């Protein structure tokens, strides 16, 4: 069960390693033990990811203490779960207040030897997931091989299979079976007893307790019978039960191991070593030793080790592995770069600005891990149900034994057989895996597309959204004006553009930059400028090639005493179409105008279409006027437009939509739209780049791509569907299997479920749940439309307003 307390004082969050969690229900041990410790507010452990998210008061405890408490539970914990080669070498010293020295500086987090001595780790604590899977296989093989002769020399082998060979060395059948069962009990099944003791020490109940009780009861009863002269024994039930539980769990662990592929891929992104320039020499060091201020050398084809700023060189950098952006980004001196991205074709010198836990990669990994460890409301209920299911199984086993022993008239061995079967079949492992595995796959699927869910509740909320509100500027549009048309009056188009761009090169206004960019794209000549004068709020005036040129709005031309003439009608038409116009006058006469507009992003229309296919209403929310908003909305096929909205009123508009019964998602830039993001049922921050620490958003879209909005809803719906399927299977399985195991149908139909078959069905149930969650990887997500070839319009192309 998740441990939570009322939060008082400062709170920090850490994702810690918890290696060695074999069964899903074992997470209760970590959650219960840490939840009782001083300064701990909440613990959410994930048996699939082998991590735990802990919210704690840093004034009362430290990460080092938390890690120690985890190790006290019998699991391995080196500290924070971050990539070893990008870990913060000073993290532990900050947590403990001690200064790092010697090996501690370089390996305080990275090296297990620096923190954990071998005697502090027990059981599977010091194993990786792959090693645990291999160990589970080996234990199964021992149990399986020895179960065969135990079964043959048992009453079942004699009576059912007709096996007549006497036991070797003149031993009784039960004595021979006892000898063969010892390696199974002392090696293969020992993890059950070790886990049960661990759970009971933590004052909780989990699957290990049930299996240990079942195996221990059957084998212990048989041992007593053998030592007291012989009789009917259950060695074959204990050994085959052990083999089947291990077999099912071996398969299940292999299946759920694939659920962590996304985080594992993120952890492996950063390069293990970096080239640092020190005293003019190239020195190769572990990435964990890079500190802020180091000057790094990154050659073509190499990965950038840490976040930094380019000081020298130019190159294209592939950032898709971190931000999801598919196109390479050009970098030059002054450009920021992100650790773990790939330098394509140029040599760069980079000044390190963020390392360790502060790097973008570490923040992304932490955010994904926190989401995977968090619990949806349904999972919290399932966790409570799993705890009580173990309690019910133990009571049910005792009640079954008592009922058959007292009222059936059958031998005592039959009562024990039914009791063991009840305990085994009711193991809640499938219930514990039902939603964590689906959440792991869903959040991982999103991370690969640059869609970061902050928690499981965000996943669940995204599945129920029926209305998506999108901010226009910067979300549906690029947020940058661009030239859409030129209108001239008595002057050549190229000449008008050259004169205008010459004046605008001296201005920092966004419209001026757009005009200059358009002129440069058309290879317009660069004209000489003299006597430049900026007219605040109006525009600018300058002498270009000896001609007086005025560029600005209508008030500037009125100030200059210049009439628009025939251009006035065209200006009005463009304004009605939602265009912004820059007026140009040459030598005291209106010469033309340049129309600009904030163009939609290339995938905006596809995003709206994909949302409509999901049955979601799309609303555009903007502070622009109705005409400008309508132009974009009509072009994209948006249902509803809410225009002329002040920034402070956006949250109120969200509230109105919610009052109409809608489940509303707000998509914005995460800064200006913070109140609206917080008010919405689901806040989605778009265009975050590598800034993943957006407090008010539930979902962070690493790319500036509106198509990731329907992607998030697709993933949410697919994940919720898998969660419901798994929970329904887990609950249905127990509802059907429990009465059969208790022998309710044995008198009437002769339907008896032996412990071995119960173990196989229980393990198979957990395996099916894990595999069903992994099928989520096949979810079909919206794809961007094919890029259209760019063709330059011929000279003299008439004005054709966008959207007309």
């Amino acid at each position: 069960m998740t441990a939570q307390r009322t939060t008082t004082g400062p709170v920090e969050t850490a994702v810690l390693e918890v290696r060695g969690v074999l069964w899903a229900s074992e997470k209760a041990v970590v959650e219960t033990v840490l939840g009782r410790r001083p300064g701990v507010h909440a613990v959410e452990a994930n048996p699939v990811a082998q991590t735990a998210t802990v919210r704690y008061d840093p004034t009362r405890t430290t990460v080092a203490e938390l890690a120690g408490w985890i190790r006290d539970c019998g699991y391995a914990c080196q500290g924070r779960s971050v990539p070893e080669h990008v870990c913060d070498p000073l993290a532990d010293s900050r947590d403990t207040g001690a200064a790092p020295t010697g090996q501690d500086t370089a390996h305080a987090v990275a090296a297990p030897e620096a923190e954990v001595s071998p005697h502090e780790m027990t059981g599977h604590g010091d194993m990786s997931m792959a090693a645990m899977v291999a160990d589970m296989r080996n234990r199964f093989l021992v149990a399986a091989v020895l179960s065969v002769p135990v079964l043959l020399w048992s009453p079942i082998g004699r009576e059912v299979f007709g096996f007549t060979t006497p036991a070797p060395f003149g031993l009784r059948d039960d004595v021979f079976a006892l000898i063969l069962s010892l390696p199974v009990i002392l090696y293969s099944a020992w993890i059950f007893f070790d886990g049960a003791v661990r759970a009971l020490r933590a004052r909780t109940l989990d699957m290990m307790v049930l299996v240990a009780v079942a195996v221990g009861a059957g084998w212990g009863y048989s041992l007593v019978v053998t030592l007291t002269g012989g009789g009917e024994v259950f060695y074959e039930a204990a050994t085959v039960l052990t083999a089947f539980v291990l077999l099912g769990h071996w398969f299940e662990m292999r299946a759920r191991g694939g659920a962590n592929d996304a985080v594992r891929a993120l952890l492996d992104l950063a390069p293990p070593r970096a080239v640092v320039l020190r005293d003019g020499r190239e020195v190769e060091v572990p990435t964990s030793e890079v500190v802020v201020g180091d000057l790094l050398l990154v050659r073509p084809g190499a990965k950038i080790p840490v976040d930094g700023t380019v000081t020298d060189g130019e190159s294209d950098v592939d950032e898709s592995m971190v931000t999801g952006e598919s196109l390479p980004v050009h970098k030059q001196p002054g450009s920021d770069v992100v650790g773990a991205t790939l330098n394509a074709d140029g040599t760069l010198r980079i000044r390190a600005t963020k390392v360790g836990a502060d790097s973008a990669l570490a923040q992304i990994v932490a955010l994904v891990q926190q989401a995977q460890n968090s619990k949806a409301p349904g999972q919290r209920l399932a966790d409570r149900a799993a705890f009580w299911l173990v309690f019910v199984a133990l009571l049910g086993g005792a009640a079954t034994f008592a009922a058959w022993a007292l009222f059936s008239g059958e031998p005592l061995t039959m009562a024990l057989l039914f009791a063991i079967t009840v305990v085994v079949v009711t193991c809640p492992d499938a219930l514990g895996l039902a939603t964590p595995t689906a959440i792991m796959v869903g959040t991982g699927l999103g991370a690969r597309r640059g869609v970061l869910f902050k928690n499981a509740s965000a996943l669940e909320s995204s599945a129920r959204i029926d209305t998506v509100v999108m901010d226009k500027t910067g979300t549906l549009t690029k947020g940058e004006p661009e030239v859409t048309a030129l209108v001239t009056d008595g002057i050549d188009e190229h000449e008008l553009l050259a004169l205008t761009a010459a004046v605008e090169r001296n201005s920092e206004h966004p419209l001026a930059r757009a005009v200059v960019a358009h002129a440069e794209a058309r290879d317009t000549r660069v004209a000489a400028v003299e006597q430049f004068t900026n007219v605040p709020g109006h525009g600018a005036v300058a002498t270009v090639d000896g001609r007086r040129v005025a560029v600005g709005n209508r008030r500037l031309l009125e100030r200059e005493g210049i009439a628009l003439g025939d251009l006035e009608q065209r200006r009005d038409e463009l304004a009605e179409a939602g265009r912004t116009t820059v007026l140009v006058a040459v030598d005291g006469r209106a010469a033309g105008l340049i129309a600009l507009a904030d163009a939609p992003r290339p995938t905006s229309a596809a995003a709206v279409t994909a949302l409509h296919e999901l049955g979601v209403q799309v609303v555009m929310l903007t502070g622009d006027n109705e005409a400008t908003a309508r132009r974009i909305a009509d072009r994209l096929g948006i249902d509803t437009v809410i225009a002329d909205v002040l920034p402070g009123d956006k949250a109120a508009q969200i509230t109105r939509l919610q009052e109409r019964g809608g489940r509303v998602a707000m998509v914005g830039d995460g800064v200006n739209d913070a109140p609206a993001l917080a008010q919405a049922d689901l806040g989605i921050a778009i265009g975050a780049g590598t800034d993943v620490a957006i407090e008010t958003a539930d979902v962070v879209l690493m790319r500036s791509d509106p198509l990731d909005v329907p992607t998030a809803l697709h993933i949410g719906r697919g994940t919720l569907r898998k969660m419901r399927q798994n929970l329904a299977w887990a609950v249905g399985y127990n509802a059907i299997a429990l009465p059969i195991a208790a022998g309710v149908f044995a008198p009437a139909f002769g339907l008896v479920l032996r412990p071995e078959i119960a173990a196989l069905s229980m393990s198979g149930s957990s395996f099916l749940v894990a595999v069903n969650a992994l099928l989520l990887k096949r979810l079909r997500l919206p794809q961007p439309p094919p890029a259209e070839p760019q063709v330059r319009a011929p000279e003299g192309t008439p004005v054709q307003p966008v959207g007309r």
Side-chain angles (χ1 to χ4, degrees), residues 154-469:
S154 71
I156 295 179
R158 298 295 193 193
E159 299 169 9
V160 179
F161 301 128
F163 189 74
T164 58
T165 303
F169 312 114
L171 296 173
R172 292 200 321 257
D173 287 355
D174 61 329
V175 174
F176 183 56
L178 168 62
I179 295 172
L180 292 179
S181 70
L182 286 174
V184 178
I185 298 300
L186 297 179
Y187 170 65
S188 297
W190 190 253
I191 55 174
F192 305 146
F193 304 116
D194 179 67
V197 171
R198 200 179 301 174
L200 293 175
R201 280 179 179 172
R203 289 177 287 169
T204 187
L205 298 173
D206 64 12
M207 175 180 170
M208 292 290 203
V209 175
L210 292 183
V211 178
V213 167
V215 173
W219 189 83
Y221 171 83
S222 302
L223 176 64
V224 172
V225 170
T226 299
L227 295 179
T228 55
E232 188 172 357
V233 292
F234 297 108
Y235 292 119
E236 82 285 353
T239 57
V240 175
L241 171 61
T242 298
F244 279 172
V245 171
L246 293 173
L247 174 64
H249 199 61
W250 174 33
F251 285 152
E252 176 218 310
M253 289 180 72
R254 292 183 61 184
R256 64 181 165 102
N260 206 22
D261 287 345
V263 168
R264 191 177 297 114
L266 285 173
L267 292 173
D268 293 337
L269 280 178
R273 303 188 71 80
V275 177
V276 181
L277 296 174
R278 291 176 178 166
D279 299 324
R281 294 186 303 110
E282 298 178 12
V283 182
E284 187 175 281
V285 301
T287 302
S288 59
E289 293 185 8
V290 176
V291 297
V292 173
D294 274 345
L295 185 62
L296 309 176
L297 179 68
V298 184
R299 294 187 172 90
K303 283 187 175 182
I304 297 171
V306 299
D307 297 2
T309 302
V310 177
T311 62
D312 184 53
E314 292 191 25
S315 180
D316 289 330
V317 175
D318 181 3
E319 298 183 341
S320 60
M321 63 285 297
V322 175
T323 66
E325 179 57 58
S326 58
L327 297 177
V329 181
H330 186 72
K331 303 295 182 180
Q332 58 191 13
S335 299
D336 292 331
V337 292
V338 183
T341 57
L342 182 65
N343 181 28
D345 48 22
T347 299
L348 298 175
R349 283 177 170 80
I350 297 168
R351 185 74 63 185
T353 56
K354 293 181 180 179
V355 299
D358 295 329
S359 68
L361 176 63
Q363 289 182 33
I364 292 169
V365 169
L367 186 65
V368 174
Q369 288 178 325
Q370 288 176 33
Q372 292 179 334
N373 292 353
S374 65
K375 293 179 173 64
Q379 177 61 29
R380 299 184 191 280
L381 179 62
D383 283 350
R384 287 194 292 271
F387 174 85
W388 288 109
L389 192 59
V390 174
F391 187 69
V392 168
L394 293 173
L395 288 181
T400 299
F401 177 81
W404 278 90
L406 296 176
F407 306 114
S408 69
E410 297 287 341
L412 193 64
T413 53
M414 181 65 73
L416 184 61
L417 189 73
F418 281 123
I420 293 174
T421 305
V422 167
V423 171
V424 172
V425 85
T426 321
C427 286
D429 207 43
L431 195 61
L433 284 173
T435 61
T437 315
I439 290 171
M440 286 283 294
V441 178
T443 52
L445 195 63
R448 292 187 177 186
R449 285 286 296 263
V451 178
L452 304 183
F453 294 91
K454 284 195 170 181
N455 49 57
S457 296
L459 262 175
E460 197 165 315
S461 296
S462 64
R464 299 187 171 96
I465 294 300
D466 54 35
T467 304
V468 169
V469 178

Side-chain angles (χ1 to χ4, degrees), residues 43-111:
V43 184
E44 292 179 320
N46 189 326
V48 184
Q50 301 280 294
T51 59
T53 299
V54 183
R55 296 177 66 244
Y56 66 98
D57 183 344
T59 65
R60 301 183 63 194
T61 188
T62 65
V63 169
E65 283 187 325
L66 294 172
W69 292 331
I70 291 174
R71 292 194 292 272
D72 290 343
C73 296
Y75 305 106
C77 181
Q78 301 177 27
R80 295 180 189 270
S81 177
V82 296
E84 290 186 359
H85 40 274
V86 300
C87 69
D88 186 346
L90 304 180
D92 279 1
S93 64
R94 283 198 297 266
D95 287 328
T96 60
T101 58
Q103 186 197 45
D104 292 337
T105 301
H107 301 283
V109 180

